[in-house]
Amino acid sequence: MGPHKVNNKDASHSKGDTKERRKERKEWKEMKLLKRAKLQNDEKIVSEESNENLKIKVPELSTLSIAVPGSILDNAQSPELRTYLAGQIARAACVFKVHEIVVFDDLGNKNIADKAMEEDDNEGKTVRRCCVQLARILQYLECPQYLRKYFFPLHKDLQYAGLLNPLDTPHHLRQNDEFAFREGVTTNLPAKAGKGIVNCGLLHDVIVNKSLPPGMRVTVRLLPQREGSKKLHGEIVPPSCPSVETGTYWGYTVRIAQSLCEVFSQSPYVGGYDLTIGTSERGDKVDLLAHNSLQYHHVIVVFGGLQGLEAALDNDEVLTVDDPALLFDHYLNTCPEQGSRTIRTEEAVLISLAELRTKLLPKHSCTT
């Protein structure tokens, strides 16, 4: 047989089909890439719009603050009792949903006999030792148990903190508790660009929408888990979000003031406190106030130490008034006709917050 002859027409047709298929495949791949890019862009836009809407829609939160002198710890007879006293303050604050506790120095610089009584706080201030200890215990108790090892190394001030009654607040969630928000600590685990990994005390870490330095405490909103995925996703939100959106009490913050003056001048809220209340047995009877008569956005209730707010005012080097009643919008006796000669500060906190509960009216109530 002779050599097989190739039909040039068929070969040309086959070659043309191959070119067309390659062209179609190329167009299909380009279309697929365009669709994927569009989808990613749409997701980015939706995410940005969601964050912007979150910033706009989060309403303001009315806050309750208390100020207590650090010197009350020096009136305790043992380290165990000093710790227990701090625990009583923390418990009272949580029961009445206090948002901020200010620990202030009511003794002043002129009463410091030994520099060993002073200690630098986290902000670089030099403050009295008792103030630092009280603030440290208050912060330790407020922190969820699963985060304490990250923020509180072994310290003498916390030697007996493990014996205190737990605060058992809503943000102290257990591993199997389900809630839309959780407190967490940022980690240094690898993540995609623009993402971060947060330990929220769950079986798996949470992938969040921001990359932050490790070791930061953050509030995370948990997003619905994707079907068939074990990964947890969330977004970092302001600490006020859980209270604003769900009406759930979300703990308190702690700050230290070097004097009675700094209690007011270093308020973390824009415009400061619009309602200030001082407590003293020399004040007006709390019974004279009408129900819901004290409307506020940010209110602070200030308590004196062993010698009252009068001593705190005398030891303040900035304030020039002679009568502490002039510092406050209301100067109240929250326990008239008391049977004991003295009321301890930790007792006064419980009594005063209970009495004021029906007198105070927040301007911005949480969602319930």
Side-chain angles (χ1 to χ4, degrees), residues 182-352:
R182 270 185 175 264
E183 291 294 291
V185 57
T186 56
T187 70
N188 57 0
L189 296 174
K192 293 181 180 180
K195 302 287 184 179
I197 307 295
V198 176
N199 178 359
C200 291
L202 296 168
L203 192 60
H204 300 286
D205 290 337
V206 181
I207 303 171
V208 296
N209 59 334
K210 292 181 182 178
S211 177
L212 297 173
M216 293 181 62
R217 178 174 166 178
V218 293
T219 304
V220 176
R221 184 208 307 273
L222 298 177
L223 301 176
Q225 195 168 358
R226 297 172 183 174
E227 188 176 353
S229 174
K230 292 183 179 180
K231 293 183 179 180
L232 299 176
H233 293 265
E235 56 185 9
I236 295 176
V237 298
S240 60
C241 262
S243 296
V244 169
E245 294 187 11
T246 68
T248 303
Y249 175 63
W250 209 248
Y252 55 77
T253 60
V254 181
R255 70 177 173 95
I256 296 177
Q258 291 180 294
S259 63
L260 180 60
C261 176
E262 284 192 2
V263 171
F264 308 104
S265 64
Q266 296 189 356
S267 170
Y269 306 111
V270 177
Y273 306 105
D274 58 336
L275 178 61
T276 57
I277 299 174
T279 59
S280 171
E281 61 181 1
R282 300 174 182 83
D284 300 326
K285 290 184 179 181
V286 70
D287 302 332
L288 300 177
L289 292 175
H291 181 77
N292 287 347
S293 59
L294 304 178
Q295 192 176 28
Y296 70 92
H297 186 17
H298 301 294
V299 59
I300 186 166
V301 184
V302 184
F303 299 89
L306 192 62
Q307 299 175 352
L309 286 174
E310 291 78 9
L313 179 59
D314 290 340
N315 295 328
D316 193 293
E317 298 178 355
V318 177
L319 298 174
T320 57
V321 297
D322 297 326
D323 186 358
L326 300 176
L327 298 175
F328 303 96
D329 297 317
H330 297 275
Y331 198 54
L332 301 175
N333 180 359
T334 55
C335 188
E337 302 176 10
Q338 63 195 58
S340 173
R341 290 189 183 92
T342 57
I343 294 179
R344 299 173 64 88
T345 303
E346 65 271 24
E347 297 168 341
V349 172
L350 271 172
I351 294 169
S352 301

Side-chain angles (χ1 to χ4, degrees), residues 106-118:
D106 63 329
L107 300 181
N109 292 331
K110 62 183 180 182
N111 288 322
I112 295 180
D114 188 356
K115 288 294 180 182
M117 295 175 65
E118 297 184 349

Side-chain angles (χ1 to χ4, degrees), residues 60-73:
E60 294 184 83
L61 177 68
S62 291
T63 63
L64 169 61
S65 302
I66 62 173
V68 293
S71 63
I72 59 177
L73 288 194

